[in-house]
Amino acid sequence: MQFAIEAQNLVKKYGGFAALDDINLTVNRGEIFGFLGPNGAGKSTFVKIILNLVYATSGNARIFGEQVERPEARKTVGFLPENIRVYPFLSIEEFLYFHAELIGISAQKIKTHIDSSLRAMALESVRAQKIGTLSKGMLQRAGIAQAILGSPELLILDEPTSGLDPIGFTELRRLLLDMKAQGTTIFLNSHLLSEVERTCDRVAIINKGKIIKSGSRDDLSDRGKHLEVTAEGFTDGMAASINSLSHKNIEFDGKSLRIYLNDEKDSVNVHRIIVEGGGWVQSLSWKSESLEELFYRLVKHEDMGFNKDRP
């Protein structure tokens, strides 16, 4: 299979510091892929190498099978940088026209593509407004409109929700899902984990230049669906009885119990065991570990020197 993005043993060093340390990563055609990590983890360095803005120290990377050093690899790539730098005297339409010419859209099709991008980002009514007068949110919309010009096969977005309001989040999510349905591959750097969780097919988490987890949402967490219980008077005897119904021992985070039952129907038995043992159940609900919780747990364990595979 030819991947949209493929990185093999990618290393980038600045002196003795490894910004990327043996990165191996594939992004499938037609998926939305989330690339997550704390500040300084190596996300932007990876994107710069993919776009041939900086060179890898070793290893290689490809876009649709082409080495990233070849101009052909970037012909069908749209890109939104984290910090947009735009001539303030240009109108939004002039800004898009400038970029449409840069990426080689034919003169006969430029207006059609600009109109489509403006419409997608709800900018048609302000197309004549100068870039220098835009709010942060409107500037971000203009940047996204630039990135989707020409219907790119691969769209790379670095913090696309920056400055957007909740309406902007929703409209961007719909846009990305529509583009995916049309076959576009989307690579998304974002700190807004709730949006990544709702939008992405797969994610990779990077920290200190290394990928510590990757896969689908279900693949990432070893804390699958579980019963979360808050109770008073809980005893070791109750724990032993409940553990006999579970595939994993009870976990306690200082506030509530996480119970990993073999059969969801045994939630009734959990309640019975606690009550009959003299305890009191305050709350009982089914939950799954959110991407935000998973991200915090994995990165925190890495930063504290724990093994990355430790739950």
Side-chain angles (χ1 to χ4, degrees):
M1 175 182 180
Q2 188 186 78
F3 296 104
I5 297 175
E6 183 177 11
Q8 295 178 321
N9 306 116
L10 207 59
V11 174
K12 177 60 181 178
K13 291 185 177 180
Y14 295 98
F17 171 71
L20 296 179
D21 188 0
D22 198 30
I23 296 294
N24 289 281
L25 179 70
T26 56
V27 177
N28 299 321
R29 282 178 175 267
E31 73 175 347
I32 303 179
F33 190 95
F35 199 49
L36 312 176
N39 292 333
K43 302 189 304 297
S44 294
T45 299
F46 181 82
V47 168
K48 288 175 182 177
I49 289 174
I50 293 298
L51 295 171
N52 202 42
L53 297 174
V54 300
Y55 298 130
T57 304
S58 61
N60 64 80
R62 297 181 180 87
I63 295 176
F64 297 120
E66 292 278 0
Q67 293 287 344
V68 294
E69 294 83 5
R70 292 172 56 82
E72 291 83 358
R74 299 183 297 282
K75 279 188 174 180
T76 59
V77 177
F79 174 53
L80 173 73
E82 181 177 5
N83 297 304
I84 306 169
R85 296 288 183 264
V86 184
Y87 295 119
F89 54 82
L90 293 178
S91 68
I92 296 175
E93 186 169 14
E94 289 168 338
F95 166 58
L96 295 181
Y97 194 98
F98 174 62
H99 278 274
E101 288 191 315
L102 284 178
I103 63 176
I105 297 177
S106 67
Q108 296 83 359
K109 296 180 179 180
I110 281 183
K111 186 177 186 307
T112 299
H113 283 288
I114 289 176
D115 288 346
S116 177
S117 289
L118 289 169
R119 186 165 52 253
M121 296 312 300
L123 292 171
E124 292 174 291
S125 63
V126 292
R127 64 197 302 155
Q129 190 168 336
K130 299 298 183 185
I131 293 288
T133 68
L134 299 179
S135 66
K136 182 173 175 58
M138 292 295 283
L139 178 59
Q140 191 73 355
R141 285 175 177 266
I144 297 169
Q146 169 275 136
I148 65 175
L149 272 173
S151 303
E153 290 184 48
L154 171 62
L155 181 61
I156 298 177
L157 303 175
D158 198 351
E159 297 298 340
T161 57
S162 177
L164 296 181
D165 58 21
I167 293 174
F169 293 165
T170 302
E171 291 175 347
L172 177 61
R173 187 189 317 126
R174 289 173 180 168
L175 171 66
L176 297 183
L177 292 173
D178 285 346
M179 293 184 71
K180 175 194 169 183
Q182 295 167 18
T184 303
T185 304
I186 300 165
F187 186 89
L188 186 64
N189 274 0
S190 180
H191 286 123
L192 196 61
L193 300 184
S194 59
E195 283 300 309
V196 170
E197 188 165 25
R198 297 178 69 173
T199 307
C200 294
D201 301 298
R202 292 193 304 135
V203 303
I205 299 175
I206 184 173
N207 191 34
K208 298 179 180 178
K210 290 180 175 290
I211 292 179
I212 57 177
K213 276 279 187 177
S214 65
S216 69
R217 174 66 188 81
D218 291 337
D219 293 336
L220 288 175
S221 179
D222 54 6
R223 294 181 177 176
K225 190 173 182 181
H226 59 271
L227 190 66
E228 191 162 288
V229 178
T230 304
E232 289 187 2
F234 195 79
T235 66
D236 290 343
M238 295 176 193
S241 297
I242 293 171
N243 282 338
S244 69
L245 305 173
S246 307
H247 60 270
K248 183 178 179 181
N249 286 342
I250 290 173
E251 294 177 356
F252 181 60
D253 64 3
K255 296 180 180 179
S256 58
L257 304 162
R258 292 193 185 97
I259 302 171
Y260 300 87
L261 294 173
N262 296 316
D263 189 333
E264 292 183 18
K265 294 178 182 177
D266 279 330
S267 59
V268 176
N269 291 324
V270 169
H271 188 278
R272 177 184 56 77
I273 289 168
I274 295 173
V275 172
E276 290 182 356
W280 175 42
V281 176
Q282 296 172 303
S283 66
L284 183 150
S285 60
W286 285 102
K287 292 191 176 181
S288 295
E289 186 176 37
S290 70
L291 183 59
E292 183 174 355
E293 290 169 331
L294 171 69
F295 178 85
Y296 181 83
R297 176 168 63 89
L298 290 175
V299 170
K300 202 69 176 176
H301 279 190
E302 281 286 305
D303 289 345
M304 293 174 68
F306 293 140
N307 184 286
K308 67 184 178 184
D309 294 320
R310 177 177 172 173

